[in-house]
């Protein structure tokens, strides 16, 4: 596609429910990233994919968070047993190769846990 | 570990006036530096980047930034601000693949 696409754009969920956030990167981009943007914490790195593998998962806040990428394309970020502190905007980005190349960001998914 | 600091949380500027946003970085080697802009409800858009070479970098929307190694700075400038420049601006530094962002500077443009 023309840009990084994320869905849904907004998600309201009840505390304790699981949620899945989807990211469609730019076609041909091998690197994919997830970031979280929240008040007071700014923009935080969550995970980096190169192809289908994730060399760096160090930013995932807890074991409730997981992500996968299939076919070197679409990625899904899953949050299990959501908590109110998970409320944030989750941003996905992709880049052509990875290291020090320009990352293009999607518009994000705003997650609200009530 | 590398990091960036944006000292100004909020800046108000008159339309047509010049704008300068400050960014200081901490990194031992030559950094890869970026400026992104985020309009309300939007994702991040890259304004410009510095990898090496010319220390004055031109970007989109009339923005430029100057890399100063002696001051560990990468300040963003625009000679004449338009109302559409009201947004949040983020400086970022790259460590191989991971971007570390500053806290952001919110720019308000008054008529």
């Amino acid at each position: 596609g023309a840009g990084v696409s994320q869905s849904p754009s907004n998600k309201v969920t009840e505390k304790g429910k699981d949620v899945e956030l989807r990211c469609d990167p730019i076609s041909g981009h091998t690197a994919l990233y997830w970031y979280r943007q929240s008040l007071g914490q700014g923009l935080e790195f969550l995970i980096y994919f190169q192809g289908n593998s994730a060399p760096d998962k160090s930013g995932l806040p807890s074991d409730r968070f997981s992500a996968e990428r299939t076919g070197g394309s679409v990625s899904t970020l899953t949050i299990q047993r959501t908590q109110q502190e998970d409320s944030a905007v989750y941003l996905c980005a992709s880049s052509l190769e990875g290291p020090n190349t320009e990352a293009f960001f999607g518009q994000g998914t705003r997650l609200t846990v009530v | 570990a590398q990091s960036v600091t944006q000292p100004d949380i909020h800046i108000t500027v008159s339309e047509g006036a010049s704008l300068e946003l400050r960014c200081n970085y901490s990194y031992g080697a030559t950094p890869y530096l970026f400026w992104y802009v985020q309009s309300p409800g939007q994702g991040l858009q890259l304004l410009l980047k510095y990898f090496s070479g010319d220390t004055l970098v031109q970007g989109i929307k009339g923005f430029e930034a100057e890399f100063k190694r002696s001051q560990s700075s990468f300040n963003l400038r625009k000679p004449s601000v338009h109302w559409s420049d009201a947004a949040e601006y983020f400086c970022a530094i790259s460590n191989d693949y991971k971007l570390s962002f500053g806290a952001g500077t919110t720019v308000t443009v008054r008529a």
Side-chain angles (χ1 to χ4, degrees), chain A residues 35 37 56 99-100 102-103 107, chain B residues 38 42 51 94 96-97 99:
Chain A
Y35 288 84
Q37 185 175 27
D56 189 345
N100 299 319
E102 179 179 345
Q107 293 193 331
Chain B
Q38 186 177 36
Q42 302 295 311
F51 285 178
S94 174
D96 198 16
Y97 54 82
L99 287 170

Side-chain angles (χ1 to χ4, degrees), chain B residues 17-85:
Chain B
S18 63
L19 173 69
E20 181 167 15
L21 304 182
R22 294 183 291 166
C23 174
N24 294 101
Y25 69 89
S26 173
Y27 189 57
T30 300
Y32 291 80
L33 294 161
F34 306 81
W35 274 101
Y36 283 87
V37 61
Q38 186 177 36
S39 299
Q42 302 295 311
L44 296 167
Q45 182 182 22
L46 181 69
L47 288 174
L48 47 77
K49 59 184 182 284
Y50 172 78
F51 285 178
S52 64
D54 194 348
T55 57
L56 186 61
V57 181
Q58 300 298 321
I60 62 170
K61 304 185 178 187
F63 284 91
E64 66 178 25
E66 187 170 12
F67 172 69
K68 292 186 177 180
R69 185 186 300 277
S70 62
Q71 297 178 18
S72 298
S73 69
F74 188 56
N75 294 349
L76 182 71
R77 299 193 293 254
K78 186 168 184 177
S80 178
V81 168
H82 187 262
W83 64 266
S84 60
D85 293 322

Side-chain angles (χ1 to χ4, degrees), chain A residues 9-32:
Chain A
S9 54
N10 281 283
K11 176 73 176 178
V12 180
T13 189
E14 292 182 351
K15 178 181 173 181
K17 299 285 189 182
D18 298 351
V19 295
E20 285 189 352
L21 312 180
R22 177 187 169 102
C23 173
D24 275 287
I26 293 172
S27 179
H29 281 194
T30 62
L32 185 146

Side-chain angles (χ1 to χ4, degrees), chain A residues 82-103:
Chain A
T82 51
Q83 304 294 313
Q84 288 187 330
E85 62 262 28
D86 299 334
S87 296
V89 176
Y90 290 82
L91 292 166
C92 177
S94 69
S95 65
L96 193 57
E97 294 178 354
N100 299 319
T101 56
E102 179 179 345

